[in-house]
Amino acid sequence: MEEGNGADDGCKDEAAASGGRGLASQRPGASQSRSCTKVDRNRTRNEAALVGSLPGSSWDGMSGRGRERGGSLSYSRRSLHGPSPDIHFGPKACMLRNQTTVMHIQDPASQRLTWSKPPLSVLVVKKIGDVRLLENFLQLCAFLIEEKHMIVLIEKSVLEDPLLENIESYSSIRKKLCTFREGYDDISKQIDLIICLGGDGTLLYASTLFQASVPPVMAFHLGSLGFLTPFKFESFKSNVAQVIEGNAAVVLRSRLKVKVMKVQRNGDTESSLLQLERNGPQPLTCRSLETLEGNRTAIQIQVLNEVVVDRGPSSYLSNVDLFLDNRLITTVQGDGLIISTPTGSTAYAVAAGASMIHPNVPAILITPICPHSLSFRPIVVPAGVELTIRLSPDGKNTAWVSFDGRQRQEIRQGDSIKITTSCFPVPSVCCHDPVYDWFESLARCLHWNVRKRQGWLCDTELSTSSDDERA
């Protein structure tokens, strides 16, 4: 959204201090003589209108109730089915205001992304160990730095890749690249845009770098499957330029907020939080995700695809109790359980027999893995409910849990896993629009409903069939 043209220097400084998240205070052609107070008042009304246009959200517009938190206005919102998604993505991107709503559910095709200020910094995430991506990576970095005059951040391990040293053009670009270390450097407030080069795993990895608000993600299909990467690299200059200019189609891929509560037992190894106090600096992910609550260790993480609870190396069936809003709904006996987002429905869940759900559908998918019951089918529950998984008291063995295939760990008696919909989705930039891109990926990657078509009946076959009918 555009900034107010009539804001004086004091207003601009205030907007910069709030992370550049001020929404439009006026449209082009309107009067530009606006005071700082009036700009803020208009910005408040626009923020309220934007929040009210989101699915399952409301704002008390009569009383204008809001609370100040962290230097920015945070409005009390009620949700029909779950927490309202965050409308800001990184320091400068937000959802474009849409006036047309049907039953308070925004049309997926109308979801547009815009910038409150021009983006300056971009994070380029490259698939590690793939020689085929080196030339593409250098072309993209040169384009962003030399033509778009942007700050490009990459991982320190990518900068030190020995394969890049053999490329002649790399020496001139290397000095202009900025680096960070995964888990140690906090880049959540420094990135305006994310560009992924690789497959679906590259986008999943980029999601783990941001445990709160996620900047817009633009993914190029340079991997093996590419279900989540709609862009082709052949036209990367025009595509990237269009996204930087703003007003691009976007799909909000919901994430799961997962909280693992583990009981500290005698003989257990020290948690990473205790190691932090004894051994000095530890990764930022440990410091931000792990806390101590009495005799329990609480680990919180954002998951884009799925949470998988399985029986691990044990030969026995897993027995876990599944609670929905603190009420027991079933006991899972089998190889395990998959709790996935609509984005994850086309990953592990569909291989286990679940249905495929469009990313814009607010839901959580529950899929058993090889259940010991013929009537246990995958189910879809509303987004926002809280699911709790615990080991059954009569279970014979422990269970193991993983998050998007990473951070696999053991779950024992007394431990619990709480899962609900996160307020921080992943804004994935679309090549065309959210609906068409998803169906195109189904046909291209999963060959959905692809079969050999029947041929036309010839005249001889038609006459033969007519004679047979008369007889």
Side-chain angles (χ1 to χ4, degrees):
M1 295 190 171
E2 311 93 24
E3 293 184 323
N5 296 329
D8 57 13
D9 294 338
C11 295
K12 293 179 181 178
D13 294 339
E14 180 182 354
S18 62
R21 294 186 178 184
L23 300 182
S25 61
Q26 64 184 43
R27 295 293 179 187
S31 175
Q32 298 184 4
S33 59
R34 294 180 180 269
S35 63
C36 208
T37 304
K38 197 169 185 179
V39 170
D40 291 341
R41 185 165 60 250
N42 290 335
R43 181 175 61 189
T44 301
R45 286 199 296 265
N46 285 332
E47 285 185 342
L50 181 59
V51 172
S53 67
L54 292 173
S57 64
S58 61
W59 183 73
D60 195 344
M62 298 298 295
S63 61
R65 285 198 300 267
R67 57 183 180 273
E68 192 77 13
R69 183 176 61 188
S72 60
L73 286 173
S74 176
Y75 302 101
S76 57
R77 291 171 286 181
R78 300 186 304 272
S79 176
L80 298 177
H81 300 296
S84 301
D86 189 17
I87 60 175
H88 296 100
F89 316 115
K92 296 179 182 176
C94 58
M95 285 293 296
L96 184 64
R97 181 180 176 182
N98 177 41
Q99 299 287 356
T100 305
T101 57
V102 180
M103 297 179 62
H104 302 288
I105 298 177
Q106 188 170 358
D107 179 12
S110 68
Q111 293 182 167
R112 313 292 298 182
L113 184 70
T114 188
W115 305 96
S116 59
K117 289 183 178 180
L120 295 178
S121 59
V122 56
L123 171 64
V124 178
V125 181
K126 182 181 75 70
K127 184 179 180 181
I128 303 296
D130 195 337
V131 183
R132 299 170 298 176
L133 301 182
L134 299 180
E135 289 291 345
N136 298 332
F137 170 73
L138 294 178
Q139 292 179 21
L140 176 62
C141 292
F143 171 74
L144 294 172
I145 296 174
E146 298 173 0
E147 298 188 30
K148 293 301 178 180
H149 308 289
M150 301 184 71
I151 301 174
V152 177
L153 277 81
I154 62 173
E155 295 176 84
K156 189 175 182 180
S157 58
V158 175
L159 182 72
E160 299 173 350
D161 189 352
L163 297 176
L164 287 172
E165 299 291 344
N166 301 327
I167 302 178
E168 183 179 355
S169 59
Y170 177 60
S171 58
S172 60
I173 300 178
R174 178 171 181 172
K175 298 179 181 179
K176 303 177 182 179
L177 296 174
C178 301
T179 61
F180 74 97
R181 295 176 300 169
E182 178 195 1
Y184 288 88
D185 299 326
D186 186 8
I187 60 173
S188 58
K189 297 181 180 180
Q190 302 176 10
I191 303 300
D192 300 330
L193 175 66
I194 304 174
I195 299 180
C196 296
L197 302 178
D200 296 342
T202 308
L203 190 145
L204 291 174
Y205 168 73
S207 171
T208 62
L209 299 176
F210 300 86
Q211 292 300 309
S213 179
V214 185
V217 181
M218 186 178 186
F220 286 92
H221 175 39
L222 293 170
S224 54
L225 184 62
F227 193 90
L228 306 178
T229 54
F231 289 95
K232 296 181 180 180
F233 194 79
E234 289 76 11
S235 56
F236 79 95
K237 290 187 177 182
S238 59
N239 292 331
V240 172
Q242 182 178 1
V243 172
I244 293 176
E245 292 171 0
N247 197 18
V250 67
V251 56
L252 299 183
R253 299 188 179 275
S254 63
R255 295 194 291 179
L256 298 176
K257 183 178 70 174
V258 186
K259 188 175 184 180
V260 181
M261 302 288 293
K262 285 191 173 184
V263 177
Q264 293 295 310
R265 303 172 178 85
N266 294 331
D268 284 355
T269 58
E270 291 181 322
S271 67
S272 59
L273 189 67
L274 296 179
Q275 291 177 2
L276 172 64
E277 298 175 356
R278 294 193 177 200
N279 303 329
Q282 292 289 317
L284 288 172
T285 51
C286 297
R287 284 182 276 175
S288 60
L289 298 180
E290 189 168 342
T291 57
L292 291 178
E293 299 181 7
N295 65 332
R296 291 173 176 262
T297 302
I299 304 173
Q300 186 168 306
I301 189 172
Q302 304 281 333
V303 178
L304 178 57
N305 260 0
E306 73 269 316
V307 178
V308 178
V309 180
D310 59 72
R311 58 188 175 92
S314 174
S315 59
Y316 295 102
L317 294 176
S318 67
N319 284 267
V320 295
D321 293 335
L322 178 63
F323 298 82
L324 192 149
D325 290 337
N326 295 323
R327 293 186 179 183
L328 179 66
I329 57 174
T330 190
T331 297
V332 181
Q333 299 185 73
D335 283 354
L337 189 66
I338 305 172
I339 309 296
S340 61
T341 62
T343 297
S345 67
T346 52
Y348 194 177
V350 74
S355 297
M356 296 178 289
I357 305 176
H358 191 276
N360 273 318
V361 178
I364 299 177
L365 181 59
I366 303 174
T367 308
I369 305 174
C370 299
H372 204 245
S373 172
L374 295 177
S375 60
F376 195 173
R377 300 301 182 195
I379 59 174
V380 179
V381 297
V385 300
E386 184 180 69
L387 301 175
T388 305
I389 301 175
R390 301 192 188 102
L391 289 180
S392 298
D394 55 350
K396 296 182 179 180
N397 59 302
T398 62
W400 290 76
V401 62
S402 61
F403 316 99
D404 283 343
R406 304 181 66 184
Q407 299 182 353
R408 184 173 171 83
Q409 53 192 280
E410 189 175 15
I411 299 298
R412 293 180 284 182
Q413 289 290 347
D415 301 340
S416 64
I417 307 170
K418 293 184 179 293
I419 305 171
T420 188
T421 305
S422 171
C423 293
F424 302 103
V426 175
S428 181
V429 181
C430 303
C431 184
H432 300 95
D433 63 75
V435 177
Y436 177 82
D437 282 4
W438 189 70
F439 279 99
E440 196 274 336
S441 296
L442 288 181
R444 174 173 52 86
C445 300
L446 302 183
H447 302 289
W448 179 66
N449 198 30
V450 175
R451 63 180 294 272
K452 185 177 181 180
R453 293 184 177 273
Q454 291 179 324
W456 291 95
L457 294 176
C458 60
D459 296 339
T460 305
E461 292 176 340
L462 288 174
S463 60
T464 305
S465 60
S466 300
D467 295 339
D468 293 340
E469 290 175 357
R470 286 195 296 269

